[in-house]
Amino acid sequence: MSFLSYLINGISLGSIYAIIALGYTMVYGIAKMLNFAHGDIIMVGGFTTFTVVSTMGGNPILGVLAAVAVCTILGVTIERVAYKPLRGASPLAVLITAIGVSYLLQNVALLLFGSNSKQFTSVVEVPALKLAGGQLSISGVTIVTIVSCIVIMVGLTTFINKTKMGQAMLAVAEDKGAATLMGIDVDRTIGVTFAIGSALAAVAGVLLCSAYPSLTPYTGSMPGIKAFVAAVFGGIGSIPGAMIGGIILGVIENLSKAYISSQLSDAIVFSVLIIVLLVRPTGILGKKIHEKV
């Protein structure tokens, strides 16, 4: 039963990584850039929920909605102010800018909330599920996290494949120049992509802090890096790949902590990534891109 418990908790953690990785993979697939500030938007979502819940009567639904709204606006603002002017710049310039935005968000959070850890009150009020005569207990946060990941995955896939904006995103991801000639507003499409990715980061931040109730200005840093690893692991640019990569990553990390060493779990995760990329450089579901000469 202990193995099953570790496995379920790993899937729950992996679901959080998957939700974060969806933002990474969408932005990379459409805008062809790595938004390393994405992890810090998770932290902003956590602090927004914490502030609203602790100052406005403890309403968790209001806290989650506020986090989604704030992170969506923040994501669009970052794209417009920091990334849009660099649309034709080198990837290195965009990468350095993204790192700068990340440090900016962390330091603003330090000024506003200080460096001390805040105790986050879980917004999930679902009772635990008891199985096998009570020998296996699945927490409400775990259930909500896994269900949320599945719902988001299905909803996002449907949005991409069935809506006009989703088709525009696919066109921009394929060829920005051709999409512009077809009358697609590339800037607006990229802005919507950042909005969706940032909203997902807010949801992931709330779920992460509900499962691990400690909040600091650096809360989003390591989960952000691991979610990026999950996106690469699954095949960056692939939405199903982000989900598969996130869940596999979470399971590997949790089982490593349980059966090998909690100190070595991160090293094991990154070692598995290196091995996978040596065997399949594009990731599990990634497609090989042929450069045009």
Side-chain angles (χ1 to χ4, degrees):
M1 283 300 172
S2 59
F3 172 79
L4 193 57
S5 177
Y6 294 139
L7 180 64
I8 292 171
N9 289 332
I11 292 172
S12 175
L13 177 61
S15 296
I16 295 174
Y17 290 155
I19 295 171
I20 304 168
L22 286 171
Y24 273 116
T25 206
M26 284 183 67
V27 168
Y28 180 82
I30 294 167
K32 295 296 183 289
M33 62 160 291
L34 298 174
N35 179 23
F36 278 115
H38 192 65
D40 298 287
I41 295 177
I42 301 167
M43 172 269 296
V44 173
F47 270 115
T48 302
T49 304
F50 171 81
T51 303
V52 171
V53 170
S54 58
T55 60
M56 302 183 74
N59 189 327
I61 296 176
L62 185 61
V64 174
L65 293 176
V68 171
V70 168
C71 289
T72 300
I73 294 170
L74 178 62
V76 173
T77 302
I78 290 172
E79 192 278 327
R80 286 284 184 260
V81 174
Y83 300 143
K84 185 179 177 182
L86 299 174
R87 196 82 81 217
S90 67
L92 181 59
V94 179
L95 179 62
I96 292 171
T97 302
I99 295 171
V101 172
S102 173
Y103 280 113
L104 173 64
L105 293 176
Q106 288 178 14
N107 281 276
V108 169
L110 278 170
L111 289 173
L112 293 176
F113 300 101
S115 58
N116 293 331
S117 175
K118 302 290 188 296
Q119 188 67 25
F120 189 92
T121 303
S122 175
V123 299
V124 178
E125 298 177 350
V126 176
L129 179 64
K130 305 273 187 187
L131 299 175
Q135 295 182 37
L136 178 62
S137 179
I138 305 174
S139 69
V141 174
T142 297
I143 296 169
V144 171
T145 300
I146 295 173
V147 171
S148 297
C149 180
I150 295 170
V151 170
I152 287 171
M153 178 67 193
V154 172
L156 192 59
T157 303
T158 303
F159 173 80
I160 293 293
N161 294 325
K162 300 295 184 181
T163 67
K164 187 176 180 179
M165 178 53 70
Q167 294 298 302
M169 288 178 176
L170 291 175
V172 173
E174 187 68 28
D175 192 320
K176 287 189 182 69
T180 303
L181 292 175
M182 295 299 292
I184 295 173
D185 189 337
V186 172
D187 288 336
R188 179 171 174 268
T189 304
I190 293 175
V192 171
T193 304
F194 269 84
I196 294 172
S198 299
L200 294 179
V203 173
V206 172
L207 293 172
L208 177 68
C209 293
S210 294
Y212 306 93
S214 178
L215 182 60
T216 73
Y218 306 106
T219 291
S221 298
M222 185 54 73
I225 292 172
K226 289 180 179 177
F228 172 68
V229 170
V232 175
F233 192 64
I236 193 160
S238 168
I239 291 176
M243 182 176 179
I244 292 171
I247 291 174
I248 292 175
L249 195 77
V251 169
I252 292 172
E253 180 179 339
N254 224 46
L255 293 180
S256 298
K257 286 180 179 178
Y259 293 108
I260 301 177
S261 168
S262 57
Q263 286 80 21
L264 292 176
S265 61
D266 289 347
I268 292 168
V269 165
F270 290 109
S271 297
V272 170
L273 172 71
I274 292 170
I275 293 169
V276 169
L277 291 182
L278 286 173
V279 176
R280 187 174 174 82
T282 58
I284 296 172
L285 296 182
K287 296 179 181 178
K288 190 174 182 179
I289 299 173
H290 297 281
E291 296 288 339
K292 297 178 181 178
V293 180

